[in-house]
Amino acid sequence: MKKNTITKNRPHYINPYLGGVLLGLLVILTVYITGRGLGASGAVKSAVATTVDVVAPNNAESNPYISKFISDDHSPMYNWLVFESLGIFFGGLLSGILFGRVKKPWVEKSPKITSKTRLIAALAGGILFGIGSQFGRGCSSGAALSGSSTFSLGGVIVMLALFGTGYAIAWLFKKLWI
Amino acid sequence: MGPLIPNGIISGDWNFVIALLLGIAFGFILEASGFSSSRNIVGVFYGYNFVVLRVFFTAVIVAMVGFLYFDYFGWLDLDKIFILPTYLSPMIAGSVIMGFGFVLGGFCPGTSYTAIAIGKIDGLVFSIGLFLGIFIFSEIFPLFKDFYYSGYLGNVTLSDVTGIPAAWFAFAFTIIALAAFWITMLIEKRVRKNIKEYKF
Amino acid sequence: MNRNYFILTVLMLVLATGTLFLKQEPKRKQIKPEDLLYEIIQPTRYVTTDQIARIIIEKDPTLELVDVRDAKSYDQFALPNAINIPTDSLLSPNYQDYFGIPGMKVVFYSNDDILADQAWVLTRRMGINETYVMKGGLNHWIETIIQPKEPPEDAPYTAFEQYQFRKGAQMYFTGAKVDNTSQKKKKVIVKRRKKETAVAGGC
């Protein structure tokens, strides 16, 4: 790819409202075809279940949470959300290539913090998001987006509480971003 | 007619192919809208970039309104689609935890996958965090089992709880979202004037 | 750019307002005429009197017998635990809760097949699944269960087995006859239909 010209240009994104309309239509299409919405954290849950099952099978069976996702018929990875999440990755890659945003591995961060700080925050954020998504029965795409769109009470609760918390605590972590 | 797979119009064998294709479309839209960048995403909390709010709310109102028309024309049976169950207290607690994770990490699960795709190490680290988080959850699950299942209200929709037809919710969400779009456009302009370090 | 956004805002508002005027009464899932015809030709809706007798004797709670004759005939004679919904009140909202309960089998009967069949077609048209017709109606019930005839000597073994069962059933139903009349008046507990959510899943 033409890296040199691209890194100098600022990233070019599609109009957010166009993206929103497309995403809304995609949610409708997904529900129209499969009867359920999109998701993302479910794939990681399957990955966790698989890993525990492979590394420590006895542990997996005795764990009351993981054992829910393990069956003798097939691996937990043989799951709708896993394939969908693979799709998310490839879709992102496709868009990245088309718009020239694929680069060598790098860390995006505020100039005020070090890469290490950014990565620690990202790890902590991921851990919290992982724990929260299990209590919340889904993440921002599964619960907040697909849930709210289908008028689910739970989806709207997740959406409001998730963004509400974000606004309430944003000033605490201002330095991380600007 | 729809949903197609539960109604047997498309065979379940196609499930995973369809999952992959829908995922690709999802990932493409997320990345193309700029969700592969954590600084774009968290901009919504600091007022310098409302792309999350725009994409998210546009998607929600388009889908809400679209579902109602699909149902009206008989293309989609809204009684047959999956309604996310409501577990009141664990959902609120989980969302608060996710809110912290959101501001700290700057991604949500779906967007972190697209960030990995274009080579962001922070996206990868966030996904590793997700993995660890869910693992930790599964380990501490016995302690929180009662809480996890508490506040169960069933697979209820807003209409089931309030008795108000879904169309009114779609209408209210649309009004709120459209108002938010115009207001945030003004906020964004003002905030961006005062930020020098961030290139837009 | 702002002008375009203005147009889009108005468009979205119009679309959202439009949903308020969509017909909001709950729609019945209607069966297509071709499908209905196919089902009418198929004999799968019929259950035999033997099957009904067996289910009643086994006290299977998933069976719901519906007598579609008029109230007078119902008071004179009815099958145990049957409820009376005369054909002309089938569409009455009072009785809608009896139909479409997941896991419940509704079996219609009348003196012969005709009334019960009509009730069955009507419920299929309303999109209610799991409804059946007792083949031959009460007339056949009397012939087979209440007054079973001994099969001729050269009949196959199964016919004798069936006869044995019918004799037993006869004892059960005629012997318990006194019980029946008091049971019949018992209030039938109405199970309310739950909203169906067909697909499970999530994030």
Side-chain angles (χ1 to χ4, degrees):
Chain A
M1 296 301 315
K2 299 167 275 182
K3 261 185 203 135
N4 289 330
T5 54
I6 283 145
T7 40
K8 276 172 198 159
N9 292 341
R10 22 180 270 228
H12 185 76
Y13 299 120
I14 60 170
N15 183 300
Y17 300 108
L18 173 65
V21 171
L22 290 176
L23 190 54
L25 295 176
L26 180 70
V27 171
I28 296 179
L29 181 72
T30 308
V31 173
Y32 178 68
I33 295 177
T34 67
R36 56 193 252 177
L38 297 159
S41 61
V44 182
K45 186 164 74 185
S46 296
V48 170
T50 313
T51 314
V52 176
D53 196 25
V54 169
V55 175
N58 296 329
N59 219 335
E61 268 163 45
S62 60
N63 185 311
Y65 193 66
I66 286 182
S67 58
K68 285 201 292 181
F69 310 109
I70 292 174
S71 77
D72 293 333
D73 301 342
H74 50 75
S75 150
M77 294 306 272
Y78 201 66
N79 173 300
W80 200 90
L81 285 166
V82 173
F83 283 82
E84 191 231 30
S85 299
L86 272 178
I88 296 178
F89 176 84
F90 287 117
L93 188 63
L94 188 67
S95 161
I97 292 171
L98 273 178
F99 292 100
R101 276 192 287 270
V102 180
K103 293 188 204 167
K104 273 195 210 119
W106 66 297
V107 178
E108 192 197 24
K109 60 177 184 60
S110 161
K112 288 178 189 162
I113 57 170
T114 61
S115 291
K116 201 177 154 197
T117 317
R118 168 72 190 114
L119 292 181
I120 290 170
L123 188 71
I127 291 173
L128 289 173
F129 221 113
I131 296 173
S133 67
Q134 300 312 299
F135 281 116
R137 268 67 175 183
C139 57
S140 28
S141 43
L145 176 63
S146 304
S148 305
S149 305
T150 50
F151 301 97
S152 155
L153 174 70
V156 175
I157 289 173
V158 170
M159 177 177 77
L160 295 178
L162 176 55
F163 283 102
T165 311
Y167 276 106
I169 61 160
W171 59 274
L172 275 174
F173 304 104
K174 196 172 178 186
K175 233 187 95 184
L176 283 177
W177 303 107
I178 49 175
Chain B
M1 196 164 125
L4 298 181
I5 290 178
N7 277 351
I9 294 168
I10 294 182
S11 148
D13 301 340
W14 286 92
N15 225 335
F16 293 133
V17 179
I18 289 165
L20 193 69
L21 293 176
L22 290 171
I24 288 176
F26 189 26
F28 190 94
I29 296 168
L30 288 179
E31 210 288 328
S33 306
F35 281 12
S36 56
S37 158
S38 54
R39 295 192 78 198
N40 281 346
I41 295 177
V42 289
V44 71
F45 296 123
Y46 300 103
Y48 64 81
N49 194 339
F50 282 99
V51 62
V52 168
L53 181 128
R54 286 177 189 138
V55 174
F56 188 88
F57 271 101
T58 311
V60 168
I61 61 177
V62 165
M64 275 184 164
V65 170
F67 279 135
L68 292 173
Y69 282 107
F70 266 58
D71 188 45
Y72 177 72
F73 290 120
W75 298 334
L76 181 64
D77 189 348
L78 286 190
D79 288 339
K80 277 201 178 165
I81 66 174
F82 171 71
I83 302 291
L84 186 79
T86 303
Y87 295 83
L88 206 53
S89 28
M91 269 183 154
I92 293 173
S95 305
V96 169
I97 299 172
M98 277 194 275
F100 274 88
F102 203 3
V103 176
L104 269 173
F107 288 114
C108 53
T111 57
S112 72
Y113 307 155
T114 64
I116 301 172
I118 65 161
K120 296 241 170 102
I121 300 170
D122 41 339
L124 180 67
V125 171
F126 183 88
S127 297
I128 295 170
L130 273 181
F131 185 90
L132 290 176
I134 295 175
F135 178 71
I136 292 169
F137 175 84
S138 70
E139 289 299 309
I140 61 169
F141 177 68
L143 292 175
F144 292 98
K145 197 172 177 191
D146 291 336
F147 179 67
Y148 180 78
Y149 289 113
S150 64
Y152 181 59
L153 299 180
N155 299 53
V156 287
T157 65
L158 293 168
S159 310
D160 293 338
V161 179
T162 59
I164 300 167
W168 283 101
F169 287 104
F171 183 69
F173 268 94
T174 309
I175 299 279
I176 295 169
L178 292 174
F181 294 156
W182 286 97
I183 294 167
T184 52
M185 208 188 289
L186 300 176
I187 295 177
E188 199 179 74
K189 256 185 210 151
R190 290 184 58 171
V191 175
R192 282 190 181 189
K193 261 190 225 157
N194 302 324
I195 296 181
K196 299 279 177 322
E197 301 93 339
Y198 189 79
K199 274 209 312 196
F200 297 101
Chain C
M1 204 59 185
N2 265 356
R3 212 191 58 174
N4 289 346
Y5 282 150
F6 189 73
I7 294 169
L8 284 173
T9 306
V10 173
L11 178 72
M12 197 61 222
L13 265 182
V14 170
L15 282 173
T17 315
T19 60
L20 296 176
F21 297 99
L22 300 179
K23 202 175 56 191
Q24 272 148 14
E25 65 202 52
K27 285 169 292 176
R28 279 281 187 189
K29 275 159 262 163
Q30 292 190 339
I31 187 167
K32 276 195 281 183
E34 298 82 20
D35 296 343
L36 186 58
L37 179 67
Y38 177 78
E39 285 189 22
I40 288 173
I41 298 167
Q42 293 290 315
T44 48
R45 67 176 175 284
Y46 289 118
V47 289
T48 64
T49 47
D50 290 321
Q51 282 170 314
I52 294 294
R54 181 163 277 130
I55 294 173
I56 295 175
I57 293 168
E58 285 168 359
K59 297 196 168 61
D60 186 341
T62 63
L63 173 78
E64 195 170 279
L65 275 171
V66 175
D67 191 325
V68 291
R69 301 169 306 156
D70 53 37
K72 212 176 126 201
S73 322
Y74 173 79
D75 284 338
Q76 279 169 3
F77 176 76
L79 295 183
N81 288 331
I83 55 166
N84 184 217
I85 308 180
T87 318
D88 54 5
S89 8
L90 262 176
L91 291 182
S92 149
N94 298 344
Y95 295 120
Q96 293 311 305
D97 292 333
Y98 289 101
F99 303 121
I101 304 166
M104 290 292 279
K105 296 182 278 290
V106 175
V107 179
F108 296 112
Y109 73 85
S110 49
N111 280 337
D112 46 27
D113 285 349
I114 298 170
L115 271 181
D117 249 349
Q118 285 169 347
W120 176 84
V121 171
L122 200 66
T123 51
R124 286 304 298 138
R125 179 74 177 77
M126 293 194 293
I128 300 164
N129 290 321
E130 298 282 322
T131 55
Y132 301 89
V133 172
M134 187 171 87
K135 180 84 183 146
L138 283 179
N139 292 337
H140 197 60
W141 175 268
I142 304 284
E143 279 167 30
T144 52
I145 306 297
I146 306 299
Q147 294 155 0
K149 284 197 190 72
E150 206 175 340
E153 300 255 324
D154 55 348
Y157 177 67
T158 48
F160 283 95
E161 249 188 352
Q162 190 185 39
Y163 177 68
Q164 284 305 316
F165 168 75
R166 284 176 177 177
K167 275 308 243 191
Q170 179 195 25
M171 301 273 284
Y172 180 88
F173 286 107
T174 50
K177 197 89 200 266
V178 197
D179 251 21
N180 275 353
T181 38
S182 59
Q183 246 178 13
K184 187 178 70 184
K185 296 283 188 290
K186 255 197 221 161
K187 198 164 159 37
V188 184
I189 307 149
V190 181
K191 281 192 188 167
R192 284 209 144 253
R193 185 174 16 171
K194 278 191 202 147
K195 198 178 167 182
E196 53 180 283
T197 32
V199 219
C203 181

